[in-house]
């Protein structure tokens, strides 16, 4: 996948099919991709994804199981032609490698595999509780390198990790960054945020943006404003 012209991924975080369809219709002209997550997928399945859009989507399922089962899951979603699919790096190299082999069966239009490292919802204490003695940052880097070596195309990472990861992993792997807040937008439950321009400057390829778009009075206008601000930033 070449670097996107419009790097905005709109997070379609709803389990209501009609709401998802309405957002998809109005946002598609203004964003690069739509992201559908686990709750939507469990509620509506592949037919639901197809009912929302005929474009390739970012399927955020965060797969994590034994290699054979994850490979089966990847194979099962290939008919959807998703652009991106997430899985947990902590599933290990064999799981990621199996996912990559399964994805390759779709040829060049295969979904890009994005690894999630340490969930941002885990504090340092919560991570210790799982048996990881390292700091969250060290664990993020360890899992990031493991995932890329094993065949992931990129990583989902938080705003506070993006510059460090870009410096460590070089220019090639995709970095997809949620926790983005346009200037003036409410942070809601995101503790550390970057603006769209800051995230791109720090090395992000794609920006996942949910509530600042879908919670706006006019979601299409909100997405268009972010896209044109980014375009101005690129031209400057
Ligand atoms: O509404 P908001 O812009 O906060 O939505 C961000 C999206 O990115 C949601 O779909 C959320 O699940 C996802 N995400 C996140 N933080 C992570 C990983 C994913 O906010 N660390």
């Amino acid at each position: 996948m070449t670097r996107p012209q419009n790097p905005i991924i709109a997070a379609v975080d709803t389990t209501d099919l009609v709401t998802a369809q309405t957002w998809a219709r109005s946002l598609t002209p203004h964003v690069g991709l739509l992201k559908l997550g686990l709750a939507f997928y469990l509620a509506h399945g592949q037919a639901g994804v197809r009912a929302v859009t005929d474009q390739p989507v970012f399927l955020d399922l965060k797969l994590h199981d034994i290699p054979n089962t994850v490979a089966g899951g990847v194979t099962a979603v290939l008919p959807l032609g998703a652009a991106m699919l997430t899985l947990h790096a902590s599933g290990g190299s064999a799981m990621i490698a199996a996912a990559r082999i399964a994805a390759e069966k779709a040829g060049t239009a295969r979904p890009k595999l994005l690894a999630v490292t340490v969930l941002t919802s885990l504090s340092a204490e919560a991570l210790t509780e799982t048996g990881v003695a390292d700091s969250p940052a060290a664990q993020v880097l360890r899992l990031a390198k493991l995932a890329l070596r094993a065949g992931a195309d990129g990583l989902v990472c938080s705003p506070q990790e993006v510059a460090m990861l870009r410096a460590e992993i070089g220019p090639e792997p995709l970095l997809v960054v949620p926790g983005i807040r346009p200037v003036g937008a409410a942070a809601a439950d995101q503790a550390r945020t970057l603006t769209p321009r800051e995230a791109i400057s720090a090395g992000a390829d794609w920006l996942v943006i949910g509530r600042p778009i879908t919670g706006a009075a006019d979601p299409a206008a909100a997405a268009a404003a972010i896209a044109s601000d980014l375009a101005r930033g690129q031209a400057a």
Side-chain angles (χ1 to χ4, degrees), residues 4 6 17 24 36 44 55 58 60 74 83 89 105 116 157 172 204 211 225 229:
N6 182 331
L17 187 59
L36 290 167
H44 303 290
Q55 300 294 308
F58 175 175
D60 190 10
V74 172
K105 298 206 181 84
V116 174
C157 72
E172 205 45 47
R211 288 160 292 179
D229 179 59

Side-chain angles (χ1 to χ4, degrees), residues 136-152:
Q139 181 68 356
V140 165
L141 186 57
R142 173 189 287 116
L143 288 175
K145 288 184 170 170
L146 173 158
L148 295 172
R149 266 197 316 269

Side-chain angles (χ1 to χ4, degrees), residues 9-13 35-37 58 60 62 116 118-121 156-159 161 176-182 186-190 193 208-215:
I9 299 175
V12 177
D13 287 329
K35 178 171 92 73
L36 290 167
F58 175 175
D60 190 10
K62 297 191 176 70
V116 174
V118 177
L119 291 171
T120 48
S121 52
V156 179
C157 72
S158 76
E161 294 158 356
V176 176
V177 183
I180 301 298
R181 289 296 176 266
D189 55 357
Q190 298 282 12
T193 62
V208 178
I209 309 179
R211 288 160 292 179
I213 292 175
T214 54

